[in-house]
Amino acid sequence: MPLTRRHLLQSAAAAGLAPLMPRRLVAETTIGSGRLITVSDGNLVLPGDFIFAGMPEADLSDILAAQGIDRQRLTPECNVTLWQDGEQTVLFDVGAGSTFMDSAGELLGNLEAAGVSPEQVTVVVFTHAHPDHIWGLLDDFDDLVFPEARYLMGRAEWDYWWDPETAETIGTERQAFAVGARRRMEVIEDRIERFEDGAEILPGLAAILTPGHTPGHMAFELRQGNEATLIVGDAIGNDHVAFARPGWEANSDQDPELAARTRVALMDRLAQEQMPVIGFHLSEGGMGHVERTGDAYRYVPL
Ligand SMILES: [Zn+2]
């Protein structure tokens, strides 16, 4: 078995140097006759300004205080969604891998704990190509972690990160994102299947273009019988300001204005239809409901 960060972290944990651990490693529900779970990839450690820079501080401070969120330092969970329906084992994003952040890259160990081996994964679908979602594509030897899988990505997202110009135009803050995405995409170039907004990419799984966080970000509506869940990736990127002030522009979005419009529309629909949501960085495993409270919304974990 190739060396993974997980093995190193297990040694670190054994030596009493355990990294920050998420609260839940796996959250589980069902949809139709299938199994729908989230598997933790660990968490990120970010300066608050990564999201909050430019937001009205007084109002922000009240919102964060109400939820006990540190303005200066954020540790969002990373929750990878997995859907098994008997024929397919579908993974939505592949986590950060071993080289992005010490606190992330935990997916493989937690998948194993959920009874899923990397070889069992038949389909990998990407919401977008940021490091915490795609860098886990390769192991420390640059081999595919999920060797048997088909790989699917929205066409606009693929085209954006594939373009060599992107590394020049994206800005210094995110330049490593562009280089890192392209390097991994080169490994799957021959097998990638690109899809459009609205495509039914698997039976009962429809793609929804949700741009702004990245230019071609995709959410997915999973519908089995009369049950449905919306897998929103980072189109709803946290469970504090994104819910309390969905219309505020967030520094973590590449096109903040467009992302805010996308987020408001998603919130409205999720609350209206009372449809369960799965968000990559939402807390307590990332599964929950969106509840409307006056002009704002509230995240209710499953
Ligand atoms: Zn993310």
Side-chain angles (χ1 to χ4, degrees):
M1 202 161 158
L3 181 66
T4 66
R5 172 74 62 170
R6 173 168 63 93
H7 296 124
L8 296 178
L9 290 180
Q10 279 168 349
S11 321
L17 303 167
L20 252 177
M21 291 302 287
R23 275 164 291 181
R24 286 170 76 173
L25 299 182
V26 175
E28 180 140 21
T29 185
T30 57
I31 184 155
S33 58
R35 177 192 193 207
L36 186 60
I37 69 175
T38 61
V39 182
S40 175
D41 189 42
N43 64 275
L44 302 181
V45 180
L46 302 168
D49 273 346
F50 184 79
I51 293 178
F52 304 136
M55 291 181 175
E57 290 291 340
D59 198 0
L60 175 67
S61 145
D62 290 345
I63 291 162
L64 298 183
Q67 290 190 52
I69 305 287
D70 185 344
R71 166 68 179 81
Q72 302 308 330
R73 184 176 179 274
L74 298 168
T75 56
E77 294 179 18
C78 298
N79 295 303
V80 175
T81 302
L82 184 110
W83 170 46
Q84 288 182 298
D85 76 343
E87 284 170 41
Q88 304 284 0
T89 296
V90 184
L91 205 57
F92 297 81
D93 298 332
V94 292
S98 62
T99 56
F100 182 52
M101 274 187 194
D102 285 349
S103 55
E106 295 292 293
L107 176 64
L108 285 188
N110 292 328
L111 264 183
E112 203 172 282
V116 180
S117 74
E119 292 76 20
Q120 267 176 278
V121 174
T122 56
V123 181
V124 168
V125 185
F126 293 102
T127 61
H128 66 299
H130 275 168
D132 48 328
H133 300 256
I134 199 175
W135 284 22
L137 186 74
L138 305 177
D139 65 17
D140 291 350
F141 297 90
D142 280 357
D143 291 326
L144 287 172
V145 170
F146 304 101
E148 307 299 327
R150 293 167 56 198
Y151 290 90
L152 288 80
M153 190 186 290
R155 183 174 301 277
E157 187 70 5
W158 178 275
D159 289 348
Y160 173 74
W161 297 103
W162 188 254
D163 185 349
E165 293 264 297
T166 295
E168 309 305 319
T169 56
I170 195 170
T172 49
E173 238 190 337
R174 292 186 175 95
Q175 203 160 37
F177 291 15
V179 174
R182 165 83 197 208
R183 183 168 91 71
R184 283 157 184 86
M185 288 159 64
E186 282 169 1
V187 179
I188 52 169
E189 185 195 1
D190 292 340
R191 52 203 284 182
I192 192 73
E193 298 166 47
R194 280 153 286 204
F195 56 86
E196 311 290 342
D197 179 25
E200 187 170 7
I201 57 176
L202 290 170
L205 184 67
I208 307 171
L209 184 66
T210 40
H213 182 67
T214 61
H217 186 286
M218 287 281 184
F220 301 96
E221 182 175 335
L222 177 58
R223 193 168 283 278
Q224 301 288 300
N226 53 10
E227 294 179 88
T229 294
L230 214 57
I231 299 157
V232 297
D234 286 5
I236 300 174
N238 62 72
D239 48 57
H240 32 84
V241 279
F243 281 76
R245 298 290 183 273
W248 278 7
E249 296 184 5
N251 190 48
S252 43
D253 296 324
Q254 289 187 219
D255 181 338
E257 193 272 325
L258 179 57
R261 268 191 284 140
T262 293
R263 188 163 49 241
V264 166
L266 281 173
M267 288 288 186
D268 186 55
R269 182 178 173 203
L270 285 160
Q272 188 85 30
E273 298 182 20
Q274 300 185 344
M275 188 190 286
V277 64
I278 303 181
F280 196 87
H281 297 297
L282 301 185
S283 60
E284 300 196 41
M287 291 185 178
H289 283 90
V290 175
E291 221 175 67
R292 193 190 297 272
T293 55
D295 289 343
Y297 299 88
R298 196 164 72 89
Y299 172 59
V300 184
L302 214 69

